[in-house]
Amino acid sequence: VAPGAPCEQEWAEVFEADDGDLLVDGRPTPGRGQVKLITFEVRQDPEDDAVFRVEGKDKSWFLQKGALAFNCADPRRFRLEAQFLGGETCRFGDDYADLSRAEQQATINWLLMIGAAKADFGLTGYKDCKSSGFYFLLHASYRRTCWRIIGSPHTCELEDVDGRTYTCNPQDGGQFELPAREGQTFGVELCDGELWLTDGGARVLRGNWKFGEEDIEPGKLPDIDFAPAILTPNCPTAFRASVLP
């Protein structure tokens, strides 16, 4: 039976599923073009260095299956943008609702993590979101009308450009929702120690992570080097990604 779209309850279980079977030996290798490192689960298009694909079966929760990090001119200041691909298999809103059940089941691009990996951290393609850096998780709603967004690690809250804050606890309601549309370009911007999620190049959310006893200014990341990074899920996903000048 083909897996269906995620429902409201399944979103709350996004990080609770057993993903031990996804752990496979293998180290990331250098990629082509802007790609610094890429794990074996992610396929880089042989004709277009900026296009990536990953296969899988779980649309309802984020089980990591792959990772890639990008080179950038400045490890303290960069912009990474991504765009989902797929044409007829990547519809949103009313266009998705008009599809047949079989076409809806064949729809791809339900989840993705995008953010900043610690430059000296070796991505594994498995549970990197817990320790490798700081990320925004995008998860398409059941009807694919919006992206629900939380930060990872979850010890943070998200703040929009008007100062409103949103939980990053997958068990809670009230996560930030970003309207979804075909051809949408989203990304991350690291600037002055702050990590922002962007939509169409415009800032939308800032991640405010908590660091316990560490003396780090609220809303800032640790004063270290980072690399733009994407963590891919265990579900069919196709996207274009590149670091902007």
Side-chain angles (χ1 to χ4, degrees):
V1 179
C7 67
E8 298 293 334
Q9 182 177 358
E10 287 171 330
W11 166 256
E13 305 299 325
V14 63
F15 283 101
E16 303 303 322
D18 180 10
D19 53 347
D21 61 334
L22 295 180
L23 181 58
V24 180
D25 290 335
R27 297 183 177 181
T29 58
R32 305 188 317 275
Q34 295 183 335
V35 178
K36 178 180 180 181
L37 293 173
I38 185 169
T39 64
F40 73 93
E41 302 94 339
V42 185
R43 291 184 290 117
Q44 188 174 18
D45 191 282
E47 297 181 357
D48 190 335
D49 293 343
V51 172
F52 308 90
R53 294 178 175 84
V54 64
E55 300 300 328
K57 59 183 179 180
D58 295 309
K59 301 177 181 179
S60 302
W61 47 75
F62 188 92
L63 301 182
Q64 188 187 350
K65 183 185 178 183
L68 59 158
F70 295 81
N71 291 305
C72 59
D74 186 343
R76 307 290 180 103
R77 189 183 186 93
F78 55 73
R79 292 185 298 162
L80 171 65
E81 286 197 343
Q83 182 183 53
F84 284 117
L85 306 176
E88 293 292 334
T89 60
C90 185
R91 299 303 192 200
F92 295 93
D94 291 343
D95 291 336
Y96 174 75
D98 289 340
L99 298 176
S100 68
R101 180 169 178 78
E103 290 171 329
Q104 288 183 349
Q105 289 178 334
T107 294
I108 67 174
N109 299 331
W110 291 91
L111 305 115
L112 201 71
M113 278 200 189
I114 185 168
K118 299 171 186 175
D120 61 354
F121 190 95
L123 295 173
T124 65
Y126 173 76
K127 289 188 175 181
D128 291 316
C129 61
K130 297 180 180 294
S131 57
S132 71
F134 305 93
Y135 303 93
F136 298 100
L137 167 62
L138 291 88
H139 185 191
S141 66
Y142 174 66
R143 298 185 183 279
R144 292 178 67 87
T145 57
C146 68
W147 297 102
R148 296 199 187 98
I149 301 170
I150 58 176
S152 184
H154 300 323
T155 55
C156 74
E157 62 181 10
L158 302 181
E159 181 180 355
D160 67 18
V161 292
D162 295 319
R164 292 184 291 262
T165 58
Y166 304 84
T167 181
C168 289
N169 185 343
Q171 305 294 336
D172 293 341
Q175 290 101 7
F176 182 85
E177 294 186 352
L178 179 69
R181 61 189 184 278
E182 191 171 350
Q184 188 170 15
T185 299
F186 55 89
V188 289
E189 178 185 359
L190 179 64
C191 181
D192 297 328
E194 299 178 346
L195 188 65
W196 288 84
L197 179 76
T198 63
D199 178 19
R203 291 179 174 182
V204 175
L205 290 171
R206 182 180 69 170
N208 294 332
W209 278 271
K210 299 176 182 177
F211 298 98
E213 299 300 321
E214 296 184 57
D215 186 19
I216 299 175
E217 183 181 345
K220 302 283 188 178
L221 298 187
D223 187 23
I224 60 175
D225 290 350
F226 290 95
I230 290 176
L231 309 184
T232 52
N234 182 32
C235 72
T237 308
F239 59 94
R240 174 182 297 277
S242 61
V243 176
L244 301 182

